[in-house]
Amino acid sequence: MNTKLCVLFVLAFVTWPCQGSDYQVFPLRMKTGYNEQYPTEVSCASWRLGVEANNLVKWKTVPAPCQEHVADYLLGDQYRSDSKTVCREAYFYAKTLNITQKDIFVFDVDDTALSNLQYFANHGFGVEEHNATAFKIWVSYGEAFALPETLKLYNKLLALGIKVVFITERPLDLKDVTVSNLQNVGFYKWDKLIARDPSIYSGKLSNAFKSSERTKLAEEGFRIVGNIGDQWSDILGDKRGFRTFKLPNPLYYD
Ligand SMILES: *[C@@H]1O[C@H](CO)[C@@H](O)[C@H](O)[C@H]1NC(C)=O
Ligand SMILES: *[C@@H]1O[C@H](CO)[C@@H](O)[C@H](O)[C@H]1NC(C)=O
């Protein structure tokens, strides 16, 4: 550690040594809560980490005791900061590439480019069981706002000369409203916006649909240099991209 940093640390935490050798590390910290239970805040943070790491899969709803934790996470600074870390890393990676005409970056739409936070705020922050009808009505309003860190990344990628392709679970009949919603909030251009065609993909899992559409892109000669989404199903499977980026989403599991 250089001297300046050391001085800073000394100023900030007078009692902390700079060498780090005086930390006391206990092999097993005793649980702090009552009756062997962790406080809700602690166990819900663990739940969220399990979700983001794809250790907890196929869950249907946010555990009811974690509703406030999830709401605080999404409405506070942490969600934005976590998203920023992901988007910055994607940009730093993209900057290292020698871009060609064939290079594309795949973006998901829901809770990647557009935020459905308003909908979920009115429906229990993921605690209520998903209602596809109500969700479709919300989407059809075309009023979702842009996720700001994704929008920044999108603009930077375009400036680097990388083409953008959106692949969305939204069905074809919601394509027009999706186009206008994206454009209204600052996503002005893309090479393709691929919505789910129910005549081909009825009953298929999200991952199968996205893999199949990415494979088609590869067959058309595109090189998928990157792929960003909030769901693991966006970034696993065939032709997933040279690098994938997972945005946080503790609200639902696709
Ligand atoms: C990009 O091109 C330069 C010059 O041709 C080359 O030196 C460099 O290794 C290339 N980088 C990558 C990541 O391919
Ligand atoms: C789902 O949403 C629709 C439209 O708002 C509503 O009519 C229906 O009752 C809801 N279903 C459930 C199970 O809540």
Side-chain angles (χ1 to χ4, degrees):
M1 188 177 280
N2 73 33
T3 326
K4 261 189 191 167
L5 263 178
C6 195
V7 169
L8 269 178
F9 272 99
V10 169
L11 287 176
F13 312 104
V14 181
T15 55
W16 284 21
C18 286
Q19 294 307 316
S21 57
D22 288 347
Y23 288 113
Q24 285 191 302
V25 178
F26 299 97
L28 266 182
R29 180 118 185 240
M30 296 304 288
K31 286 184 184 175
T32 47
Y34 169 71
N35 196 19
E36 299 278 292
Q37 293 293 316
Y38 287 108
T40 307
E41 190 50 32
V42 172
S43 58
C44 290
S46 298
W47 177 82
R48 201 160 49 69
L49 180 63
V51 164
E52 293 306 342
N54 208 23
N55 288 321
L56 302 184
V57 299
K58 295 179 183 167
W59 48 277
K60 296 265 186 287
T61 55
V62 172
C66 294
Q67 184 177 46
E68 202 178 317
H69 171 85
V70 165
D72 287 349
Y73 171 75
L74 291 164
L75 301 175
D77 289 335
Q78 196 66 56
Y79 176 44
R80 177 87 185 250
S81 172
D82 290 352
S83 304
K84 182 173 185 157
T85 300
V86 177
C87 291
R88 275 166 56 102
E89 186 61 24
Y91 173 60
F92 292 152
Y93 155 69
K95 268 205 308 190
T96 67
L97 300 168
N98 289 328
I99 308 302
T100 72
Q101 286 291 310
K102 297 172 173 175
D103 291 341
I104 57 172
F105 213 101
V106 172
F107 278 67
D108 167 53
V109 172
D110 283 301
D111 299 300
T112 295
L114 298 178
S115 175
N116 294 306
L117 198 46
Q118 188 59 62
Y119 172 84
F120 286 99
N122 293 331
H123 289 84
F125 283 104
V127 169
E128 282 175 28
E129 230 172 280
H130 189 65
N131 182 331
T133 312
F135 186 73
K136 191 167 180 178
I137 293 170
W138 150 256
V139 167
S140 73
Y141 297 151
E143 286 174 356
F145 60 78
L147 280 164
E149 299 300 335
T150 309
L151 182 56
K152 266 191 227 170
L153 171 65
Y154 161 89
N155 282 317
K156 285 178 169 178
L157 294 179
L158 290 181
L160 289 174
I162 301 177
K163 297 183 166 77
V164 166
V165 170
F166 286 106
I167 305 182
T168 177
E169 269 291 298
R170 293 182 175 194
L172 277 179
D173 61 338
L174 290 172
K175 187 168 174 174
D176 288 350
V177 74
T178 302
V179 166
S180 60
N181 196 158
L182 282 167
Q183 289 177 336
N184 287 342
V185 299
F187 295 94
Y188 298 119
K189 56 179 266 197
W190 48 81
D191 256 61
K192 285 171 189 283
L193 193 164
I194 300 166
R196 185 194 259 259
D197 181 345
S199 72
I200 306 177
Y201 294 111
S202 168
K204 294 259 169 66
L205 292 175
S206 170
N207 184 248
F209 154 65
K210 293 205 167 186
S211 284
S212 160
E213 289 298 331
R214 287 194 306 263
T215 301
K216 284 190 207 164
L217 291 168
E219 284 164 1
E220 288 167 29
F222 289 112
R223 224 167 58 125
I224 302 174
V225 295
N227 179 3
I228 186 166
D230 65 297
Q231 296 293 313
W232 280 91
S233 59
D234 296 329
I235 57 172
L236 295 176
D238 300 335
K239 303 287 174 196
R240 67 188 71 167
F242 297 161
R243 273 196 70 178
T244 58
F245 298 90
K246 168 73 175 69
L247 286 166
N249 187 351
L251 287 168
Y252 54 89
Y253 187 92
D254 198 352

